[in-house]
């Protein structure tokens, strides 16, 4: 049974989602298996921790802001990175997310690999501490309950220069009702 969830899509938190880990978050789905669950990274939660403090060899390759982003509430002590590359090759140290989406040239970086393997080819790189995870069926249920909008991603979303505005800009470009939702105030009780 197809659930519509697939790698390369964005989850955008609806205004009803009150969980502080995900309030007004934009999550890129990086793994999905209907039987095994789903993994994503929150794209709009920059921290104040410079990448150089935790992954010094990768620091000069990071796309601004050059800080670690909080990718989600799970495994905050671990890091993962996403990078965008040109062309069609899949160099060592990088694995494409999905060949059939707007983010087809965005992939996961092996942070254990020497940065020099990818340095010449990198267009953009961002580092995340932790990730967001859902067990099999859990995310589908949350979408059905109205906690998330499932929308197409663009490569620029992953490396947004102003991550604080990402929630609004992703919703606005959807048009219709979702564009209207982008105007909701931070605190709906003030509306």
């Amino acid at each position: 049974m197809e659930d519509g969830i697939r790698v390369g899509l964005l989850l955008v938190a609806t205004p009803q989602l009150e969980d502080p880990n995900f309030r007004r978050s934009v999550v890129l789905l990086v793994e999905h298996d209907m039987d095994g669950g789903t993994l994503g990274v929150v794209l709009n939660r920059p921290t104040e921790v410079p990448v150089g403090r935790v992954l010094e060899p990768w620091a000069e390759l990071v796309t601004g802001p050059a800080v670690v982003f909080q990718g989600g509430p799970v495994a905050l002590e671990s890091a993962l990175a996403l990078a965008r590359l040109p062309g069609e090759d899949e160099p060592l140290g990088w694995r494409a997310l999905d060949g059939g989406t707007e983010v087809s040239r965005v992939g996961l970086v092996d942070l254990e690999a020497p940065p020099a393997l990818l340095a010449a080819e990198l267009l953009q790189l961002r580092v995340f501490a932790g990730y967001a995870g859902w067990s099999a069926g859990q995310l589908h249920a949350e979408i059905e309950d109205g906690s998330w909008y499932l929308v197409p991603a663009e490569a620029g979303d992953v490396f947004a220069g102003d991550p604080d505005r990402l929630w609004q800009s992703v919703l606005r470009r959807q048009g219709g009702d979702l564009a209207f939702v982008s105007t909701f105030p931070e605190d709906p009780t003030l509306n």
Side-chain angles (χ1 to χ4, degrees):
M1 179 175 154
E2 178 64 35
D3 60 9
I5 301 168
R6 69 180 190 281
V7 170
L9 291 179
L10 293 177
L11 293 173
V12 181
T14 67
Q16 300 88 270
L17 186 57
E18 294 294 326
D19 180 339
N21 292 306
F22 296 110
R23 184 165 166 69
R24 290 202 171 210
S25 65
V26 177
V27 179
L28 176 68
L29 298 178
V30 297
E31 290 183 14
H32 177 65
D33 180 334
M34 284 181 52
D35 298 324
T38 306
L39 185 138
V41 290
V42 177
L43 300 176
N44 58 335
R45 296 281 194 274
T47 69
E48 295 184 11
V49 178
V51 170
R53 188 181 307 160
V54 292
L55 288 167
E56 194 277 324
W58 292 94
E60 65 185 48
L61 300 175
V62 172
T63 305
V67 297
V68 175
F69 280 63
Q70 184 174 339
V74 181
L76 288 171
E77 68 287 346
S78 66
L80 64 86
L82 293 171
R84 186 162 67 122
L85 302 180
E88 296 181 12
D89 294 337
E90 194 161 316
L92 288 174
W94 182 84
R95 179 177 54 92
L97 291 183
D98 185 358
T101 69
E102 283 290 319
V103 293
S104 63
R105 295 308 297 164
V106 173
L108 291 164
V109 174
D110 178 359
L111 292 171
E112 299 294 319
L117 279 178
L118 294 173
E121 298 194 50
L122 280 176
L123 296 174
Q124 294 172 302
L125 175 77
R126 189 152 282 168
V127 175
F128 300 87
Y131 62 89
W134 295 266
S135 60
Q138 181 183 4
L139 180 57
H140 181 73
E142 289 182 18
I143 292 169
E144 291 290 312
D145 287 343
S147 295
W148 299 101
Y149 302 118
L150 191 61
V151 302
E154 295 179 0
D157 297 334
V158 180
F159 309 101
D162 185 4
D164 293 332
R165 305 266 323 136
L166 187 60
W167 186 84
Q168 289 90 354
S169 64
V170 168
L171 288 173
R172 188 169 294 120
R173 77 171 181 245
Q174 305 309 311
D177 290 342
L178 294 184
F180 178 70
V181 170
S182 75
T183 66
F184 279 32
E186 278 283 335
D187 183 354
T189 62
L190 299 177
N191 196 7

